[in-house]
Amino acid sequence: MKWHDGPLEDSMTLLLMGLLACTYDDDADDSNTVGETSAGDSDTDTDTDTDTDTDAPVSTASGGVTLRDGSELKADTEIVTAFSYYSDKKTFIYATSNPDASCALVGALYEKDAPAVDLNELFLDNHCNVSITMVGAPPMIDADLQDGSSGVVAGVNCAFGDGEFVYEGGSDAGYFWSGPFYNASAFKETLSVEFQDQGDKTLKATLNLGGYRGTLSTSADEVQAQGYIKGEIYTVNCEGLSASGGF
């Protein structure tokens, strides 16, 4: 699965799908064991999240996504690093299981006409990352993901199996995952987004995601998935995400 020369367009297509969603298959068993994760960075800088603040809140969002296409492929989610940017028009959060991810890397990913971004520092093998797009500024409490009028969408990007992102040149140059790659939106349960401290730029997202619908790099058909991603995400303010547009 390539993710370059249009990550924003690909992601926003899914987000719009979620906003227009009314009903999907609610019969899936979304059970997954949710474990504890490592700490994120709680300050408001815009660099990498390599500081080790002793009072930094701990992100606990974790779980898993299992495809319902007969393959039973499953990827874990253990959020350790998250970035956010918001204005009165839009709020955007990107959360990853890779501790090496940085604001600069995520910002470059969403910057129009930017060079190809090496996604090996953004993803882990057999793990999912999470993005949240919300109309307007926080707070939004207990938004119903199945309600197309809620103005909030949660997306998941899963790199299944053991592999790596490999650069391929040519007219459609970019980085491709060497195995199945899943790009989907959650259509069940709820999420909340609020300020860590009133007036601060850092955010707290509380996830209760379940049920996913999207595309798989190895299939031309829509693929649904099951599995819960639950817990809290604490973000670092990242000015670079303003390049994702809509602010």
Side-chain angles (χ1 to χ4, degrees):
M1 173 70 177
K2 189 189 81 166
W3 196 351
H4 180 58
D5 289 344
L8 172 60
E9 290 80 2
D10 293 343
S11 299
M12 289 307 295
T13 297
L14 288 167
L15 297 177
L16 290 173
M17 285 170 51
L19 287 175
L20 295 173
C22 292
T23 58
Y24 297 114
D25 182 0
D26 289 338
D27 298 330
D29 175 10
D30 295 317
S31 60
N32 262 294
T33 300
V34 179
E36 203 166 62
T37 65
S38 302
D41 181 18
S42 67
D43 62 14
T44 56
D45 57 16
T46 57
D47 58 0
T48 64
D49 60 327
T50 56
D51 354 351
T52 56
D53 300 345
T54 56
D55 59 348
V58 177
S59 292
T60 61
S62 61
V65 173
T66 302
L67 297 184
R68 300 182 64 205
D69 62 348
S71 68
E72 297 302 316
L73 285 173
K74 179 181 178 179
D76 297 322
T77 302
E78 298 178 80
I79 299 303
V80 296
T81 309
F83 306 93
S84 63
Y85 186 79
Y86 72 90
S87 70
D88 290 339
K89 296 181 179 179
K90 173 185 171 182
T91 298
F92 184 65
I93 295 173
Y94 193 89
T96 171
S97 299
N98 193 329
D100 294 330
S102 67
C103 170
L105 178 67
V106 176
L109 177 67
Y110 287 93
E111 183 179 350
K112 186 177 180 180
D113 301 324
V117 174
D118 186 350
L119 300 177
N120 290 297
E121 295 183 3
L122 191 61
F123 285 85
L124 292 181
D125 292 357
N126 212 46
H127 278 72
C128 302
N129 292 348
V130 175
S131 64
I132 298 170
T133 299
M134 185 178 85
V135 176
M140 178 174 284
I141 306 299
D142 292 333
D144 184 351
L145 294 174
Q146 197 165 346
D147 181 359
S149 64
S150 66
V152 60
V153 175
V156 295
N157 306 116
C158 304
F160 286 103
D162 297 327
E164 63 179 336
F165 284 93
V166 179
Y167 181 81
E168 297 182 13
S171 59
D172 198 27
Y175 280 87
F176 295 79
W177 180 244
S178 57
F181 190 88
Y182 188 51
N183 195 7
S185 57
F187 64 85
K188 293 174 67 176
E189 309 304 340
T190 63
L191 67 82
S192 300
V193 179
E194 54 195 312
F195 296 105
Q196 289 186 35
D197 294 301
Q198 191 60 39
D200 195 359
K201 293 183 178 180
T202 56
L203 303 179
K204 170 188 172 184
T206 303
L207 306 186
N208 182 25
L209 310 183
Y212 310 91
R213 178 176 181 265
T215 58
L216 187 67
S217 60
T218 55
S219 174
D221 300 324
E222 176 187 288
V223 177
Q224 290 197 11
Q226 64 189 33
Y228 280 110
I229 300 175
K230 294 184 177 183
E232 297 175 343
I233 292 173
Y234 294 91
T235 74
V236 175
N237 180 56
C238 178
E239 301 285 338
L241 283 177
S242 62
S244 64
F247 292 101

